[in-house]
């Protein structure tokens, strides 16, 4: 059995069929040692059995699209108010309330602190007025399962999204469908599209300035690395609701940085010089839960650098709450040499024993960077083209999904080609619409994501 550097046995999933499974801890380590990821089960790397299961899931998903019942907080099993809370509160000041975060929600003295001016300060309050996105477009159309899916697909080939849920549920089609539909309901209730529309303008400025989750370079498998310097975290420095907003923002940002064949990220928690007051159980639990349930198969590796005895003790409490596959991706590294097994020294900041001179600095939104979002006629035209592309891909997918072993090879090849062309059309339409429906980010301003949405890390 493989062990991680602190001697904790590494666990992984057990294969139960001929389809590929999420990698065990042993195979993850082997992939990094070889410098080659295992693409099995990902887009463009399916076995015959896996492709048939993908077709089966698409058939069920297209059937689910016929349900035109609106997705509301009540329909999603919410509390009836979650669907409106974010849009109602995020861009206006609120009355003071006690902070309640920290490990196990204790707050660790947060209630005794006077609320500083920056406690609730949002980016939109200090950025140039011309940088702000317009109000989120009102619509009379209720959110349906079909609409939620195509919104969630963003600029990806939709198979990339669907396959994440199949792999997460070990290729059990009904389980994958249930997980995917639950995710779509969650996205509507949590108003994820509203949050990506407003982007950083709707986020806590102090959180962005601390750089929790800053992206710098890639690991040895090409995964973008999100740096989380735990010592800079202060759970009492902002309302818990704004921490959760920021968490979802990070998840959506990570998706924007992923392009096949790279489909996962690496999280690097630097626990050097941390104090107990830096430990935020609520944030960590939410972060991992979102990855597990709503952004499955987006996590390649979690590195815990120089974990203290306190963190090790708390990890023993946390680990049983995580999916075993997710937990198996957590590795403790106690020295620069161990860290460099996973990340090249040239990609590591000097503070972590690397050769990079990277120092995170948050840059406020630039004037007019979201000017395209104010061009409603052009946006409507681009969204109409995207909607037509979705319709065309659905039709092509319906024909493709019903092909089976009895379908002649020439006909299957023609169906594959038709669907591929329809998918290319959708991706092109989505890329064209992106600057009109999603606020630019720090990584657009610094050139990591260019005007064509290509990623440079």
């Amino acid at each position: 059995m493989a062990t991680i550097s602190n001697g904790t046995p590494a666990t992984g999933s057990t294969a139960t069929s001929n389809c590929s499974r999420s990698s065990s801890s042993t195979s993850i380590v082997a992939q990094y040692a070889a410098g080659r990821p295992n693409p099995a089960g990902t887009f463009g790397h399916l076995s015959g059995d896996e492709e048939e299961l993908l077709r089966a899931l698409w058939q069920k998903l297209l059937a689910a699209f016929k349900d035109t019942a609106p997705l509301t907080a009540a329909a999603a099993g919410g509390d009836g108010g979650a669907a409106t809370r974010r849009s109602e509160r995020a861009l206006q000041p609120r009355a003071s309330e006690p902070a309640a975060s920290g490990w196990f929600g204790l707050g660790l003295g947060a209630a005794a602190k006077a609320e500083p001016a920056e406690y609730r300060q949002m980016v939109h309050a200090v950025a140039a007025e011309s940088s702000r996105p317009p109000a989120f477009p009102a619509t009379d159309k209720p959110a349906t399962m079909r609409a939620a899916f195509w919104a969630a697909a963003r600029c990806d080939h939709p198979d990339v999204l669907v396959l994440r849920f199949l792999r997460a549920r070990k290729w059990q089609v009904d389980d994958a469908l249930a997980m995917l539909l639950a995710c779509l309901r969650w996205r509507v209730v949590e108003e994820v599209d509203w949050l990506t529309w407003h982007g950083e303008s709707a986020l806590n400025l102090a959180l962005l300035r601390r750089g929790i989750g800053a992206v710098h370079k890639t690991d040895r498998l090409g995964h973008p690395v999100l740096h989380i310097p735990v010592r800079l975290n202060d759970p009492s420095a902002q309302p818990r609701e704004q921490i959760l907003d920021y968490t979802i923002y990070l998840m959506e940002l990570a998706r924007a940085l992923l392009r096949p064949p790279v489909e996962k990220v690496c999280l690097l928690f630097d626990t050097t010089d941390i104090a107990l007051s830096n430990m935020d159980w609520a944030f960590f639990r939410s972060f991992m839960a979102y990855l597990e349930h709503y952004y499955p198969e987006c996590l390649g590796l979690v590195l815990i650098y120089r974990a203290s005895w306190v963190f090790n003790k708390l990890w023993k409490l946390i680990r049983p709450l995580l999916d075993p596959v997710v937990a198996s991706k957590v590795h403790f590294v106690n020295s620069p040499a161990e860290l460099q097994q996973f990340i090249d020294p040239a990609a590591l900041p000097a503070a972590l024993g690397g050769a990079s001179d990277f120092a995170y600095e948050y840059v406020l939104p630039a004037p007019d960077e979201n000017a395209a979002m104010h061009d409603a006629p052009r946006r409507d035209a681009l969204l109409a083209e995207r909607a037509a592309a979705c319709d065309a891909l659905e039709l092509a997918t319906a024909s493709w999904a019903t092909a089976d072993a009895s379908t002649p090879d020439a006909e299957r090849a023609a169906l594959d080609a038709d669907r591929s062309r329809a998918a290319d059309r959708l991706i092109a339409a989505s890329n064209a619409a992106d600057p009109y429906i999603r606020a630019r980010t720090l990584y657009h301003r610094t050139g990591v994501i260019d005007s064509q949405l290509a990623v440079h890390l």
Side-chain angles (χ1 to χ4, degrees):
M1 179 179 291
T3 59
I4 53 183
S5 59
N6 68 348
T8 303
T11 62
S13 61
T14 302
T16 57
S17 80
N18 292 329
C19 294
S20 63
R21 294 291 182 260
S22 296
S23 300
S24 68
S25 182
T26 303
S27 61
I28 289 174
V29 173
Q31 289 175 55
Y32 278 92
R36 294 190 302 274
N38 177 11
T42 62
F43 179 70
H45 301 277
L46 301 182
S47 68
D49 287 344
E50 290 165 349
E51 183 165 326
E52 292 308 311
L53 292 171
L54 176 61
R55 293 176 193 270
L57 179 51
W58 265 110
Q59 290 183 50
K60 291 177 178 287
L61 183 59
L62 292 173
F65 286 174
K66 296 177 182 178
D67 182 357
T68 58
L71 294 180
T72 63
D79 61 9
T84 58
R85 280 199 296 265
R86 177 167 286 112
S87 55
E88 286 180 348
R89 67 166 163 76
L91 297 182
Q92 57 189 6
R94 297 187 72 202
S96 296
E97 60 186 25
S101 190
W103 283 95
F104 306 104
L106 297 178
L108 296 175
K113 291 184 177 181
E115 183 176 303
E118 64 271 18
Y119 183 70
R120 300 177 190 277
Q121 189 173 51
M122 311 295 280
V123 170
H124 74 85
V126 296
E129 185 173 357
S130 65
S131 72
R132 301 175 192 169
F136 188 67
T139 178
D140 295 331
K141 296 180 180 179
T144 62
M145 198 67 75
R146 178 183 183 272
F149 175 84
W150 291 114
R154 290 290 185 182
C155 299
D156 293 334
H157 190 299
D159 282 357
V160 173
L161 178 63
V162 173
L163 284 167
R164 292 188 186 283
F165 291 87
L166 265 176
R167 295 195 303 272
R169 286 297 174 258
K170 299 178 173 61
W171 300 91
Q172 300 299 311
V173 171
D174 289 339
D175 292 346
L177 177 67
M179 185 185 189
L180 174 54
L181 297 183
C183 173
L184 298 178
R185 294 186 186 100
W186 173 84
R187 292 181 67 88
V188 170
V189 170
E190 291 296 331
E191 295 183 301
V192 174
D193 292 339
W194 185 95
L195 187 59
T196 57
W197 172 277
H198 288 286
E200 293 166 10
S201 69
L203 298 178
N204 183 284
L205 177 61
L207 269 174
L208 285 161
R209 283 179 168 166
R210 284 200 292 274
I212 307 296
V215 180
H216 178 61
K217 300 296 185 181
T218 64
D219 66 15
R220 291 188 181 274
L221 296 185
H223 303 145
V225 179
L226 276 67
H227 291 254
I228 302 175
V230 182
R231 69 185 177 280
L232 300 182
N233 185 48
D234 183 355
S236 66
Q238 60 282 309
R240 171 172 161 73
E241 63 197 17
Q242 293 183 3
I243 296 176
L244 295 178
D245 288 354
Y246 184 66
T247 303
I248 296 174
Y249 162 80
L250 284 179
M251 300 295 177
E252 291 297 307
L253 172 63
R255 283 192 62 200
L257 295 170
L258 298 177
R259 299 287 186 276
V262 178
E263 295 191 9
K264 299 180 180 181
V265 299
C266 171
L267 304 181
L268 174 51
F269 287 83
D270 177 11
T271 64
T272 305
D273 298 329
I274 64 170
L276 190 58
S277 60
N278 299 129
M279 308 292 277
D280 190 349
W281 161 251
F283 172 78
F284 187 85
R285 181 176 59 183
S286 297
F287 201 98
M288 300 303 284
Y290 287 169
L291 278 171
E292 181 179 337
H293 297 292
Y294 308 126
Y295 299 89
E297 293 293 308
C298 287
L299 179 63
L301 187 70
V302 179
L303 295 171
I304 311 294
Y305 183 62
R306 288 184 170 169
S308 66
W309 67 269
V310 174
F311 193 97
N312 277 297
K313 292 288 186 182
L314 291 170
W315 172 243
K316 292 181 180 179
L317 299 175
I318 297 169
R319 180 167 183 150
L321 303 178
L322 301 177
D323 179 273
V325 173
V326 174
S328 75
K329 297 178 180 181
V330 178
H331 293 256
F332 289 76
V333 288
N334 296 316
S335 69
E338 292 180 357
L339 185 57
Q340 290 167 19
Q341 295 176 27
F342 301 96
I343 303 174
D344 189 276
L348 282 171
L352 300 177
S356 171
D357 60 359
F358 171 74
Y360 174 81
E361 180 181 3
Y362 178 64
V363 179
L364 283 170
D368 298 317
E369 72 174 20
N370 292 310
M373 300 182 73
H374 293 265
D375 187 349
R378 178 60 176 159
R379 179 177 67 244
D380 291 345
L382 290 168
L383 289 178
E385 163 56 20
R386 188 179 188 274
C390 290
D391 292 344
L393 182 53
E394 272 191 41
L395 288 173
T397 298
S399 298
W400 165 87
T402 56
D404 56 26
S406 65
T407 306
D409 290 346
E411 183 178 343
R412 287 174 69 105
L415 292 171
D416 287 345
D418 287 346
R419 186 169 185 262
S420 180
R421 284 191 293 270
D424 288 344
R425 177 187 174 187
L426 175 59
I427 292 169
S430 299
N431 287 343
D434 188 79
Y436 293 82
I437 61 173
R438 180 159 55 178
R440 303 301 84 181
T441 71
L442 170 67
Y443 299 95
H444 293 85
R445 294 191 285 281
T446 55
V448 173
I449 304 175
D450 68 22
S451 60
Q452 303 302 310
L453 305 186
V455 176
H456 308 277
L457 283 170

